[in-house]
Amino acid sequence: MQQETDNGASSSSPLVELRGVNKWFGENHVLKDINTSVARQEVVVVIGPSGSGKSTLCRSINRLETIQEGEILIDGVRLPEEGSGLAKLRSDVGMVFQSFNLFAHKTVLENVAIAPIKVRKKSKKEANARAMELLERVGVGEHARKMPAQLSGGQQQRVAIARSLAMNPKLILLDEPTSALDPEMINEVLDVMVELAKDGMTMVVVTHEMGFARKAADRVIFMDQGAIVEEAPPEEFFTAPKSDRAIDFLSKILSN
């Protein structure tokens, strides 16, 4: 017998569905007839050249970008345009950006605990305990009382991941989470993401890190010029890409 989720959707149904999604910035058609889905506990890595629509796709899933055509469903519920329904949905979808977006005037611990207190109405004691647990999990527990500016970029990004986990999201979107980091800090963030994947967190990750895509992805989506050109399991995509565009892209990326 199929289990049901909180919204009555079957647990075998996709967690995220994009149906006929189109978006324009003025004359620029940035998302072209996007049809795809993300299963529960699936890790989908979105790759492609700059300007291919990857980040716009990621940001559209929780309506940081509005779409002009099509529909997006999360847990069987169509994404609301605005209002309390959208706020509720956003609280179920964690987002990690390339810039860490931490509150500079709050401690690391306060950054992680604030949303559960304000949005989930958790007590400060409960929220702080959960925040500490998550900071330990991502390897920055000893920095809980520091201000974000006292941390390295890699540490700040791990705090940002802990902050998104604090809301117990159904899904985490990561938009180029390592692109603002120095090379030696990238692996410490990727290691946390690999562990999340092993723990069954549903993730959509826009990244240039092909090693992460190979190691942690269940599926790779390759985009070019606003369209999904190809999607396949990572081993299949990296060893036998089907489209000329993907072959060309990989030859440039993997030869560097």
Side-chain angles (χ1 to χ4, degrees):
M1 184 176 154
Q2 291 182 337
Q3 289 183 309
E4 292 203 341
T5 66
D6 297 343
N7 294 320
S10 162
S11 60
S12 63
S13 63
L15 183 60
V16 182
E17 290 180 84
L18 293 90
R19 300 173 179 168
V21 170
N22 283 277
K23 177 172 178 60
W24 289 262
F25 287 125
E27 297 289 302
N28 189 10
H29 195 176
V30 290
L31 293 178
K32 300 175 182 172
D33 294 319
I34 301 294
N35 291 284
T36 192
S37 62
V38 181
R40 295 165 206 283
Q41 301 191 325
E42 186 179 24
V43 178
V44 174
V45 171
V46 186
I47 65 172
S50 295
S52 60
K54 308 182 299 291
S55 288
T56 304
L57 176 70
C58 189
R59 292 166 65 87
S60 295
I61 292 175
N62 71 344
R63 270 219 195 282
L64 285 176
E65 298 286 359
T66 54
I67 59 172
Q68 280 88 21
E69 288 180 2
E71 61 178 357
I72 299 172
L73 293 89
I74 295 184
D75 221 355
V77 178
R78 184 172 174 159
L79 224 56
E81 301 289 330
E82 56 191 22
S84 61
L86 181 57
K88 163 77 173 72
L89 182 132
R90 280 202 180 134
S91 72
D92 288 336
V93 179
M95 183 99 199
V96 178
F97 303 89
Q98 49 186 301
S99 53
F100 323 120
N101 289 10
L102 299 175
F103 295 116
H105 62 289
K106 294 189 180 296
T107 66
V108 163
L109 184 69
E110 289 168 336
N111 264 280
V112 178
I114 187 169
I117 292 169
K118 291 192 176 298
V119 180
R120 300 276 196 233
K121 307 303 180 193
K122 301 283 187 188
S123 70
K124 187 174 180 181
K125 182 180 179 183
E126 187 181 0
N128 282 348
R130 173 71 174 146
M132 271 309 304
E133 185 184 306
L134 290 167
L135 289 169
E136 295 287 354
R137 180 175 172 186
V138 300
V140 290
E142 70 273 24
H143 302 299
R145 304 294 171 188
K146 291 181 181 176
M147 306 304 279
Q150 295 174 274
L151 273 55
S152 71
Q155 289 166 337
Q156 289 187 60
Q157 192 61 295
R158 285 186 279 160
V159 173
I161 292 172
R163 181 180 58 181
S164 71
L165 291 171
M167 293 291 283
N168 294 321
K170 297 173 179 177
L171 164 73
I172 295 185
L173 308 171
L174 299 105
D175 185 11
E176 304 209 16
T178 59
S179 63
L181 300 177
D182 293 334
E184 67 268 22
M185 294 176 190
I186 289 173
N187 281 340
E188 65 188 56
V189 173
L190 292 177
D191 287 347
V192 170
M193 291 162 57
V194 169
E195 286 306 312
L196 289 180
K198 286 180 185 168
D199 290 346
M201 173 57 71
T202 308
M203 296 195 283
V204 176
V205 186
V206 174
T207 187
H208 294 288
E209 298 295 331
M210 298 301 138
F212 172 78
R214 282 191 130 138
K215 185 189 291 187
D218 296 302
R219 181 161 44 105
V220 173
I221 290 178
F222 174 69
M223 292 186 70
D224 188 36
Q225 298 182 344
I228 293 177
V229 177
E230 202 169 322
E231 45 187 316
E235 202 47 44
E236 185 181 320
F237 177 77
F238 286 110
T239 56
K242 293 183 175 64
S243 63
D244 290 343
R245 189 65 194 88
I247 291 166
D248 181 54
F249 175 78
L250 288 173
S251 71
K252 289 173 179 159
I253 290 262
L254 300 178
S255 62
N256 289 341

